[in-house]
Amino acid sequence: MSAVPAVWTVKALLDWTADYLSKKNVPGAAAKVEARLLLAHVLKCKPIDVLVRYDEQPSDDDRTAYRELIKRRVDGWPVAYLLGEKEFYLLPFEVTPAVLIPRPETETLVAEAVTLLKKLPESLALDLCTGSGCVAVSLAHGAKSARVTATDVSPDALDVARRNAARNKVADRIDFRAGDLFAALPPGATFDLVATNPPYVTQSELATLQPEVRDHEPRLALDGGPDGLAFYRRIAAGVGEYLKPGGWLLAEIGATQQEAVTALFAEQLDVVKTLKDVAGLPRVVVARKR
Ligand code: GLN
């Protein structure tokens, strides 16, 4: 471990913490970034502003708060839960352990859905399994003429999602509804586009996930049943009734699920394509009602 400095300046705290985190299995570059993010959180400033405060000496209270965060980080807490926030599609989202932390790969789904919605003068979109609301809020933000219905089985997740809609000033165009998939919808509702990032991890894979994900993110948001396909099966069986003719279904999938999900959707819809994510992996199946 590094020598303990005589004076705990911002710079000394950052250097010590980055070194400590990297020795505790947070890889080098991430350790530096996380040390800075967490200190900015304690000092209530932007991460970039930490750099111009190098010579300051944070108060004892701030140092104690920082130490507590570092301890929880080393215990495996994802940094987004410690910060209470995650950026997604360039928008800020509150996150708590009641919701899955938004992932960059889900931006692939949002970008395609926004493009499709923007072609319509007005539109109705549905987000199934909304969680933090990151998809619903990004759709409403990106396509100003869209009205969005967002469902989730977890009331605690919906509380977070509602706050995220308010924070990003789209609450007036999103109807959040509690319930299991389509059961949450008003009778007769139909949509131009249905987007979903359902739980899709197989039960045997759950045990092999990174400890941060496995031990801290909601099981409810990850568990896709014995073969990971439970939700796609139910969505495929039900979605036809809720799509307008020509309406779109966009579903995020696990990187190995393209064939299986395509086969399920093809029973009811025309499968148009599969989009790759930023890492080049198959990530979004796009289908359309005839
Ligand atoms: N992409 C997430 C993960 O790998 C899973 C998200 C989901 O099941 N919808 O942890």
Side-chain angles (χ1 to χ4, degrees):
M1 194 154 303
S2 329
V4 173
V7 183
W8 283 107
T9 59
V10 163
K11 171 100 170 78
L13 283 166
L14 287 175
D15 288 347
W16 187 89
T17 304
D19 186 52
Y20 181 67
L21 289 178
S22 65
K23 286 179 181 144
K24 295 283 179 179
N25 292 330
V26 177
K32 268 191 173 172
V33 172
E34 292 190 6
R36 193 199 299 170
L37 285 172
L38 293 170
L39 189 56
H41 183 68
V42 169
L43 299 178
K44 300 184 175 57
C45 67
K46 294 194 182 122
I48 185 86
D49 292 339
V50 171
L51 303 181
V52 296
R53 295 176 66 172
Y54 264 2
D55 298 328
E56 279 180 39
Q57 293 176 36
S59 67
D60 286 348
D61 284 354
D62 283 348
R63 278 175 46 201
T64 303
Y66 191 42
R67 200 179 310 124
E68 283 306 310
L69 287 176
I70 295 161
K71 223 169 107 202
R72 292 174 72 202
R73 181 69 191 94
V74 167
D75 283 345
W77 279 84
V79 78
Y81 288 151
L82 298 178
L83 301 172
E85 193 168 291
K86 176 77 182 178
E87 191 180 271
F88 176 83
Y89 211 65
L90 299 179
L91 299 172
F93 286 87
E94 175 190 332
V95 290
T96 74
V99 301
L100 193 79
I101 298 165
R103 311 281 205 262
E105 50 268 35
T106 306
E107 294 176 343
T108 302
L109 178 152
V110 169
E112 181 75 5
V114 167
T115 304
L116 291 168
L117 290 173
K118 276 178 149 177
K119 290 181 184 159
L120 303 169
E122 51 184 39
S123 58
L124 296 174
L126 170 64
D127 175 22
L128 294 169
C129 310
T130 196
S132 66
C134 67
V135 170
V137 168
S138 304
L139 293 184
H141 192 272
K144 300 289 184 214
S145 59
R147 303 190 67 85
V148 182
T149 300
T151 74
D152 204 285
V153 73
S154 158
D156 292 340
L158 285 174
D159 285 343
V160 176
R162 283 196 185 92
R163 288 197 292 273
N164 280 324
R167 178 173 188 175
N168 288 295
K169 303 194 167 45
V170 291
D172 57 326
R173 285 187 290 118
I174 306 184
D175 178 18
F176 289 102
R177 306 181 76 97
D180 188 15
L181 293 182
F182 304 109
L185 298 174
T190 56
F191 300 91
D192 299 287
L193 184 146
V194 176
T196 185
N197 176 17
Y200 57 65
V201 180
T202 70
Q203 273 166 0
S204 59
E205 276 167 0
L206 280 171
T208 68
L209 295 176
Q210 277 176 289
E212 288 178 356
V213 179
R214 187 190 64 210
D215 301 338
H216 296 280
E217 300 205 54
R219 189 55 57 108
L220 197 60
L222 294 165
D223 186 348
D227 65 356
L229 302 171
F231 287 85
Y232 303 111
R233 233 173 246 122
R234 294 177 54 207
I235 291 167
V239 75
E241 187 183 332
Y242 297 94
L243 278 176
K244 297 182 190 177
W248 300 90
L249 170 63
L250 279 71
E252 178 168 325
I253 57 165
T256 60
Q257 294 172 326
Q258 177 178 1
E259 253 182 77
V261 173
T262 297
L264 285 170
F265 288 179
E267 289 178 23
Q268 312 289 338
L269 308 168
D270 292 332
V271 176
V272 178
K273 58 184 167 182
T274 300
L275 304 173
K276 296 204 157 90
D277 66 15
V278 276
L281 299 169
R283 189 60 68 189
V284 180
V285 175
V286 180
R288 192 168 198 196
K289 182 168 166 168
R290 277 152 227 152

